[in-house]
Amino acid sequence: MAEQSKQLVRDKVIMLADGHVTTPAGFSAGGVHCGIRKRKLDLGWVRSEIPATTAGVYTTNTFQAAPLKVTQESISKENKIQALIVNSGVANACTGEQGLADAYQMRRLAAQAMDVSEDHTAVASTGLIGELLPMEKIEWGIQQINQADNNEVSRFESAILTTDTREKGIGVQVEVDGKTVSIGGAAKGSGMIHPNMATMLSFITTDAEIEAGALSTLLKDITNTSFNMITVDGDTSTNDMVLVMANGQAGNNQLKPGHPDWDVFKEGLTMVCEELAKEIARDGEGATKLVEVQVNGAVSEEAARAISKSVISSNLVKTAIHGADANWGRIITAIGYSGQQLNPDKVSIALGSIPVVESGMPVVFDEEQAKDYLLEDSITIYVEMGDGDGKATAWGCDLSYEYVRINASYRT
């Protein structure tokens, strides 16, 4: 009954064909090439017509970059953000006092250009670690914010990318109090992606009215089942953040747990985060396939998460999938070293619809059929533990020769 009820809620979320961070009412966005990168757009911004209730989740890396500190300080004042400025190409991480001063200057310049309070301005950076921001270039770029030609959402989605191969945008709509509420998002992420937030930025907007504490708790919960369930290469970075800005322009009554439409809004935000997370995994550096690992029957949800992340993080599993090799031994090994309570005699594994292990024992299967399946661009590995009700899904990608080429020459 619980699954049926959840599906009924999910059916109330409308996925938009062309959704973006500017889909919700009252948001604008744009981007410009200011010269940090050779040719690509490298400075982007999002602005709300009014200060928006904002929540954030940040990298767990001890070396937290200067922009994250400035953004957290801004949000801590009133839980409100009205404008966001993002640069790509230089991470402004491990840059000491000068880096922090540059992040504050970036905030001040952006606030002036977009006519908002400094305390209502967030800053984000992504790119090379250990280099100072070229502030003259950034200042010039910020001066271009009010030029109409630069204010297109596609320019923002492009400006935040590094080694990504495509822009990542999404939008959904739900009904709250009889009002149409929109939720939009954009993200970047391709390499240094691992559970617990890695080199990824995600910016989500909504015109819903929502209580600040409820939004913060909801974002943390959803992050644990979306952005924290993806991996590309096992590295965790210094700059990652997810921000959600809610400006209340839809005119609904304030959302919080207990509101009749809380579950519908939660499902809409979950869908946005999950789809962005999957797009990051699909666009992993050198990736040719999106890989999904579904674990069911674990002793707990926490155990299921750990097992699914152990499988999706295994380089041996990822290389086998890249080579279309149905080497289930690598999968069962990754399950075994996940550190979770399990009974090896109950574990079953399937590659798509093809069973390869049942109750801990190998199953005879058609190798050519399995190879054909693993040559597809989306692969699902099903794991049944047989120990309880815990379930979780993780996403990642294959590990290719191209990944090595990209990262061997990242600085050059």
Side-chain angles (χ1 to χ4, degrees):
M1 286 296 293
E3 286 299 320
Q4 185 179 12
S5 177
K6 185 174 181 179
Q7 187 59 49
L8 288 173
V9 172
R10 178 158 285 234
D11 288 343
K12 294 180 180 179
V13 181
I14 300 172
M15 180 80 75
L16 302 176
D18 191 29
H20 304 281
V21 291
T22 55
T23 298
F27 287 96
S28 58
V32 69
H33 174 245
C34 71
I36 303 174
R37 308 183 70 188
K38 290 182 179 179
R39 289 176 295 275
K40 297 181 179 179
L41 301 182
D42 49 20
L43 188 71
W45 56 85
V46 174
R47 186 183 187 279
S48 172
E49 292 178 359
I50 61 174
T53 299
T54 302
V57 179
Y58 311 93
T59 182
T60 57
N61 195 301
T62 303
F63 290 95
Q64 201 171 80
L68 275 69
K69 297 175 183 179
V70 172
T71 293
Q72 289 174 80
E73 179 186 296
S74 291
I75 295 175
S76 70
K77 302 289 185 180
E78 300 177 47
N79 296 312
K80 299 279 189 181
I81 291 293
Q82 188 172 356
L84 163 72
I85 187 76
V86 189
N87 76 274
S88 61
V90 174
N92 193 13
C94 301
T95 48
E97 291 299 319
Q98 185 59 55
L100 190 60
D102 289 343
Y104 278 120
Q105 184 183 2
M106 193 169 165
R107 181 178 73 168
R108 177 178 58 80
L109 293 169
Q112 290 174 350
M114 289 186 270
D115 192 26
V116 303
S117 165
E118 284 189 50
D119 289 340
H120 290 162
T121 305
V123 181
S125 300
T126 183
L128 285 174
I129 294 171
E131 291 191 4
L132 293 172
L133 291 170
M135 291 307 298
E136 289 185 4
K137 294 178 179 179
I138 287 176
E139 182 170 1
W140 179 89
I142 289 174
Q143 291 171 357
Q144 315 308 308
I145 285 178
N146 294 315
Q147 293 187 16
D149 290 348
N150 295 326
N151 280 276
E152 297 178 5
V153 67
S154 61
R155 295 178 69 86
F156 171 76
E157 292 174 346
S158 179
I160 65 177
L161 306 182
T162 50
T163 56
D164 308 60
T165 64
R166 62 178 73 94
E167 293 81 17
K168 303 169 182 69
I170 185 175
V172 305
Q173 289 182 335
V174 298
E175 188 172 292
V176 177
D177 296 324
K179 310 283 188 180
T180 297
V181 166
S182 299
I183 308 169
K188 68 82 50 181
S190 188
M192 288 185 79
I193 303 293
H194 192 58
N196 294 327
M197 304 283 292
T199 302
M200 57 147 288
L201 300 174
S202 182
F203 308 111
I204 300 166
T205 58
T206 178
D207 46 21
E209 174 69 32
I210 183 169
E211 193 268 328
L215 181 61
S216 180
T217 300
L218 181 59
L219 177 62
K220 290 174 183 175
D221 290 344
I222 292 175
T223 295
N224 282 333
T225 61
S226 57
F227 297 111
N228 281 349
M229 295 301 290
I230 60 175
T231 187
V232 170
D233 51 20
D235 279 340
T236 302
S237 184
T238 55
N239 288 61
D240 315 304
M241 71 168 74
V242 177
L243 292 183
V244 179
M245 301 170 63
N247 66 10
Q249 297 284 69
N252 61 285
N253 296 324
Q254 188 179 64
L255 280 160
K256 54 187 175 182
H259 186 289
D261 296 318
W262 174 255
D263 287 343
V264 176
F265 177 79
K266 178 180 178 180
E267 189 60 36
L269 185 58
T270 298
M271 189 177 295
V272 167
C273 292
E274 284 185 355
E275 290 301 316
L276 288 175
K278 287 193 283 186
E279 283 303 301
I280 291 170
R282 187 188 299 274
D283 195 27
E285 289 173 344
T288 65
K289 304 167 188 176
L290 173 67
V291 184
E292 183 174 294
V293 177
Q294 293 188 19
V295 173
N296 290 285
V299 294
S300 66
E301 183 178 336
E302 291 74 17
R305 289 181 187 172
I307 292 166
S308 61
K309 288 194 285 188
S310 184
V311 174
I312 205 70
S313 301
S314 167
N315 284 340
L316 289 179
V317 172
K318 290 152 69 71
T319 51
I321 291 173
H322 180 71
D325 178 10
N327 190 342
W328 57 264
R330 295 182 176 182
I331 300 171
I332 210 163
T333 298
I335 295 170
Y337 64 60
S338 66
Q340 302 305 303
Q341 178 184 337
L342 59 91
N343 184 339
D345 295 332
K346 293 182 179 180
V347 176
S348 298
I349 301 170
L351 305 175
S353 62
I354 305 167
V356 293
V357 175
E358 287 186 358
S359 301
M361 296 296 291
V363 174
V364 177
F365 61 92
D366 187 324
E367 290 278 359
E368 285 303 313
Q369 182 187 9
K371 184 178 182 66
D372 287 344
Y373 176 67
L374 294 175
L375 286 171
E376 295 181 9
D377 58 10
S378 292
I379 308 299
T380 302
I381 298 171
Y382 296 98
V383 179
E384 175 57 52
M385 302 301 298
D387 291 321
D389 298 323
K391 60 182 179 179
T393 302
W395 299 276
C397 60
D398 57 332
L399 189 59
S400 70
Y401 305 104
E402 182 67 6
Y403 174 85
V404 177
R405 187 197 66 78
I406 291 170
N407 283 282
S409 60
Y410 186 78
R411 281 166 50 89
T412 56

